[in-house]
């Protein structure tokens, strides 16, 4: 099982917000920034927020990481 997680990135402009969002996702999941970029490209997305300098980074996350973040049980209850 895997599930989507999302983080918000912010910065003075769109580029800095994107970098911030990728760094936050990498710190949260323990994955490298390159891996986060790859997963967000293939199984997720990076959306521009309504406010300038805000993005949402979403990616499909393996169950092992969801378990480490104490989110696996929530996904299992919601989607099974």
């Amino acid at each position: 099982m895997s599930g989507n997680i999302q983080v918000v990135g912010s910065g003075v402009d769109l580029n800095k917000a994107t970098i911030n969002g990728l760094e936050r996702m990498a710190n949260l999941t323990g994955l490298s920034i390159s891996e986060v970029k790859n997963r967000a490209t293939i199984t997720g997305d990076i959306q521009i927020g309504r406010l300038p300098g805000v993005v949402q980074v979403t990616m499909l996350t393996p169950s092992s990481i969801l378990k480490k973040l104490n989110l696996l049980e929530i996904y299992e209850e919601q989607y099974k």
Side-chain angles (χ1 to χ4, degrees):
M1 175 175 210
S2 56
N4 283 321
I5 57 175
Q6 183 178 75
V7 298
V8 174
S10 60
V12 296
D13 59 34
L14 188 57
N15 290 331
K16 289 194 178 14
T18 302
I19 292 167
N20 178 255
L22 293 169
E23 289 173 344
R24 285 180 177 176
M25 183 67 82
N27 289 334
L28 178 67
T29 61
L31 300 172
S32 69
I33 291 179
S34 295
E35 180 74 13
V36 169
K37 286 180 184 178
N38 187 42
R39 288 178 179 272
T41 299
I42 295 171
T43 65
D45 62 358
I46 299 175
Q47 298 176 335
I48 299 171
R50 290 185 176 264
L51 299 173
V54 176
V55 299
Q56 293 106 5
V57 179
T58 307
M59 70 175 205
L60 195 61
T61 308
S63 61
S64 59
I65 294 174
L66 293 175
K67 185 175 182 178
K68 181 180 86 170
L69 297 173
N70 295 319
L71 294 173
L72 185 59
E73 289 181 18
I74 294 170
Y75 274 94
E76 288 174 342
E77 288 176 20
Q78 183 69 31
Y79 296 110
K80 280 194 174 180

